[in-house]
Amino acid sequence: MGERWWHRKFRGCGYRLTVPREVIFTVLSKTSKHLSAEEIYIEVHKTYPAIGLTTIYRTLELLVEMGFILKFDFGDKRARYELAEGLQGKQHHHHLLCTDCGKIIDYTDFAKEEKELLGQTEKGLSEKFNFKITNHLIQFYGLCSKCQKK
Amino acid sequence: MGERWWHRKFRGCGYRLTVPREVIFTVLSKTSKHLSAEEIYIEVHKTYPAIGLTTIYRTLELLVEMGFILKFDFGDKRARYELAEGLQGKQHHHHLLCTDCGKIIDYTDFAKEEKELLGQTEKGLSEKFNFKITNHLIQFYGLCSKCQKK
DNA sequence: TTTGATAATGATAATCATTACCAAAAAGGT
DNA sequence: ACCTTTTTGGTAATGATTATCATTATCAAA
Ligand SMILES: [Mn+2]
Ligand SMILES: [Mn+2]
Ligand SMILES: [Zn+2]
Ligand SMILES: [Zn+2]
């Protein structure tokens, strides 16, 4: 696990490299799911039972701040996290959420058309409202194939 | 205040018409802000100090369910509500959120281009993932004009 | 290597928005 | 006015996230 690539950025920001940070980052790196703090805690706990939930929260906040991971709210009352774009070949994407079973689908396919419209819209909004846009959130809600049959 | 138009729908659903419901609905009808449950409580409390916060929550839930109001999460840890589209000339719109001061801007201007892309995207996603899309959430984050100067 | 200043951790308590409970009050048909 | 059913409002409970703070780990310097 001794990868150096992100250790450097870490040290560069004056942060110490610790076991919990290494472990939590690794968990996020190896899943394609959108894990909550507690789910990460449970996973981490299997191998490192000494690491506490508080540390999970603190580390997640740090990783978000450093741009390693993204924090999402999918409406289920808890924050969920996933690796940021650029890492592990992750691409910028949006989400499709099943309001029945909670399934989350990543999609990047329509990024082309979307990106164009987004650019246009952001430009228009920036001008009209003198607003400096830095980020956007796009989510579609509905029923997944399984839940449509119920 | 004796408007009958929404009273009818209310009764039609088997719900009783009560003072709290009338008052809370009226508050939402008369503001263009995106109020939280507590803010609504405070407003209501000025004229009807006997109405409790629990009733505010319950009534808001009911109004959402009946389609009179919409519930939003703007990332400030509390739900915010506004009159649904169609009522009081409200149009379907999205939001521009200042991450510094919390300012919320409604915009409907770019609805045309957006609507087109949304339709396309929703269609594509529906087909590709066999997902029945019923709703969407689009928000832009950034700095408002005032906060850019700080 | 040891040391020492400082950052990080983890157990616990505190927050705070939202819900659950339940006895009392209000609504509306008779 | 009466009766049945809803609705209400005070209070306690919930549950995710944060704050506290004594203890431990990190890492640059000696
Ligand atoms: Mn994702
Ligand atoms: Mn709005
Ligand atoms: Zn589903
Ligand atoms: Zn601002």
Side-chain angles (χ1 to χ4, degrees):
Chain A
M1 317 278 113
E3 329 290 332
R4 282 289 110 80
W5 71 273
W6 66 280
H7 287 196
R8 224 169 264 146
K9 182 172 179 185
F10 228 80
R11 290 255 173 63
C13 292
Y15 295 121
R16 295 181 179 177
L17 213 26
T18 69
V19 172
R21 286 170 180 175
E22 179 95 51
V23 173
I24 292 166
F25 184 88
T26 300
V27 167
L28 268 311
S29 298
K30 291 187 173 166
T31 186
S32 61
K33 291 181 193 155
H34 305 78
L35 300 174
S36 67
E38 193 179 6
E39 286 169 346
I40 293 169
Y41 171 72
I42 291 171
E43 184 59 31
V44 164
H45 194 266
K46 293 176 184 169
T47 332
Y48 294 85
I51 297 178
L53 182 54
T54 303
T55 298
I56 305 287
Y57 275 107
R58 261 189 311 235
T59 303
L60 288 171
E61 188 186 7
L62 183 66
L63 294 176
V64 167
E65 180 212 309
M66 296 190 66
F68 286 123
I69 64 175
L70 298 175
K71 182 179 186 177
F72 285 100
D73 171 14
F74 294 132
D76 61 346
K77 310 284 184 186
R78 74 210 62 194
R80 293 189 170 275
Y81 303 84
E82 79 175 314
L83 223 54
E85 40 206 283
L87 287 73
Q88 298 280 129
K90 275 268 179 180
Q91 297 179 54
H92 178 73
H93 64 272
H94 298 143
H95 298 101
L96 218 47
L97 308 165
C98 180
T99 50
D100 195 42
C101 71
K103 181 171 188 182
I104 302 170
I105 298 177
D106 289 351
Y107 72 90
T108 54
D109 314 67
F110 306 90
K112 223 170 296 167
E113 302 94 307
E114 259 187 24
K115 180 170 280 181
E116 195 175 319
L117 175 94
L118 278 177
Q120 252 180 274
T121 306
E122 291 190 4
K123 187 159 175 287
L125 291 173
S126 293
E127 287 171 7
K128 168 143 191 176
F129 298 105
N130 193 233
F131 211 95
K132 187 176 202 67
I133 294 174
T134 57
N135 201 3
H136 62 251
L137 174 66
I138 297 185
Q139 298 179 343
F140 289 95
Y141 297 87
L143 293 177
C144 74
S145 52
K146 281 187 185 175
C147 292
Q148 284 174 52
K149 294 170 189 165
K150 289 176 189 172
Chain B
M1 322 271 113
E3 328 290 329
R4 284 287 113 77
W5 72 272
W6 67 280
H7 286 196
R8 226 170 260 145
K9 182 172 179 186
F10 227 81
R11 290 256 173 63
C13 291
Y15 294 121
R16 294 182 180 177
L17 212 26
T18 68
V19 172
R21 287 171 179 174
E22 178 96 50
V23 173
I24 293 166
F25 184 87
T26 300
V27 167
L28 268 310
S29 298
K30 291 187 173 167
T31 186
S32 61
K33 293 183 191 153
H34 305 78
L35 299 174
S36 67
E38 193 180 5
E39 287 169 345
I40 293 169
Y41 171 72
I42 291 171
E43 184 60 31
V44 163
H45 193 266
K46 292 176 187 169
T47 332
Y48 294 84
I51 297 178
L53 182 55
T54 302
T55 299
I56 305 288
Y57 275 105
R58 261 189 312 236
T59 303
L60 288 172
E61 189 186 7
L62 183 65
L63 293 176
V64 167
E65 180 211 309
M66 296 190 67
F68 286 124
I69 64 175
L70 298 175
K71 182 179 186 176
F72 285 100
D73 171 13
F74 294 131
D76 62 345
K77 310 284 185 185
R78 74 210 59 197
R80 294 190 170 275
Y81 304 83
E82 79 174 316
L83 222 54
E85 41 206 282
L87 287 73
Q88 297 283 128
K90 276 268 179 180
Q91 296 179 55
H92 179 73
H93 65 271
H94 299 142
H95 297 102
L96 217 48
L97 308 166
C98 180
T99 50
D100 196 41
C101 70
K103 182 170 188 183
I104 303 170
I105 297 178
D106 290 351
Y107 72 90
T108 54
D109 314 66
F110 306 91
K112 223 169 296 168
E113 302 94 307
E114 259 188 23
K115 181 169 280 182
E116 195 175 318
L117 174 95
L118 278 178
Q120 252 181 273
T121 307
E122 292 190 5
K123 187 160 175 288
L125 290 174
S126 293
E127 285 171 7
K128 169 145 191 175
F129 298 105
N130 192 232
F131 211 95
K132 187 176 202 66
I133 294 174
T134 56
N135 202 1
H136 62 250
L137 174 66
I138 297 186
Q139 298 178 345
F140 289 95
Y141 297 87
L143 293 176
C144 74
S145 52
K146 281 187 184 176
C147 292
Q148 284 175 53
K149 294 171 189 165
K150 290 177 188 171

